[in-house]
Amino acid sequence: MSTAAKLNQNPLTDKKFLNAFVDGVIKTMSIMADTQVKPTNPKVEKQFEPKGEVAGLVGMVAGNMKGTLTISYTKNAIFKIIENMLGEIYTELSIEVTDAVGELTNQIYGSAKTTLNQIGYHFEMAIPTVIHGRFTISQYHSGTT
């Protein structure tokens, strides 16, 4: 499939596109946090609902395709992941926890981006943002989530 065709289709209908992120999570968690991930089937949501109290976000741009990768964690999950990463126990959201979420988001996006660029998407580099506490992510588009 040509690059132009990839950029004009809905990427969520491309199994290779979705699997790049699933594989990125599996690889990153295994390597960085000695954590084994058991993914379920990806699903399309009408509106993203945060699944936890902290999330990493990274903007994704490839040609005219724009989107945001969002990975949210419950406090207990991220505390266990960080304990596996650093050998330190955290019980509160702190700068160290948000830094770790940012690094995990960066690693997951980097892994997915490498795979996607090899199959013709050409995503650009991006810097992650981390949000925590009670948050809502509002969409100002009619695109797929």
Side-chain angles (χ1 to χ4, degrees), residues 68-107:
T68 304
L69 168 66
T70 305
I71 304 173
S72 63
Y73 304 87
T74 63
K75 287 192 292 189
N76 289 339
I78 197 62
F79 295 157
K80 183 61 178 168
I81 290 166
I82 294 172
E83 181 180 346
N84 289 354
M85 283 175 68
L86 306 175
E88 297 178 22
I89 296 173
Y90 289 89
T91 57
E92 298 294 327
L93 293 175
S94 64
I95 189 70
E96 292 86 2
V97 172
T98 58
D99 283 351
V101 170
E103 183 56 30
L104 288 168
T105 304
N106 191 48
Q107 293 287 328

Side-chain angles (χ1 to χ4, degrees), residues 101-116:
V101 170
E103 183 56 30
L104 288 168
T105 304
N106 191 48
Q107 293 287 328
I108 292 166
Y109 175 66
S111 175
K113 183 177 76 63
T114 297
T115 300
L116 293 170

Side-chain angles (χ1 to χ4, degrees), residues 51-66:
K51 309 299 188 272
E53 297 82 17
V54 61
L57 298 89
V58 66
M60 299 174 52
V61 177
N64 63 353
M65 186 186 311
K66 295 175 178 67

Side-chain angles (χ1 to χ4, degrees), residues 1-74:
M1 179 177 287
S2 73
T3 300
K6 284 194 178 302
L7 295 178
N8 290 326
Q9 76 178 35
N10 179 344
L12 298 181
T13 63
D14 181 352
K15 190 172 183 174
K16 289 180 182 179
F17 184 91
L18 295 175
N19 284 338
F21 293 98
V22 173
D23 292 345
V25 170
I26 292 169
K27 289 176 193 172
T28 299
M29 291 299 170
S30 177
I31 293 167
M32 298 289 293
D34 193 28
T35 300
Q36 300 308 305
V37 175
K38 294 177 186 149
T40 59
N41 290 328
K43 64 181 184 233
V44 176
E45 300 177 343
K46 289 192 183 258
Q47 175 75 26
F48 174 77
E49 296 284 336
K51 309 299 188 272
E53 297 82 17
V54 61
L57 298 89
V58 66
M60 299 174 52
V61 177
N64 63 353
M65 186 186 311
K66 295 175 178 67
T68 304
L69 168 66
T70 305
I71 304 173
S72 63
Y73 304 87
T74 63

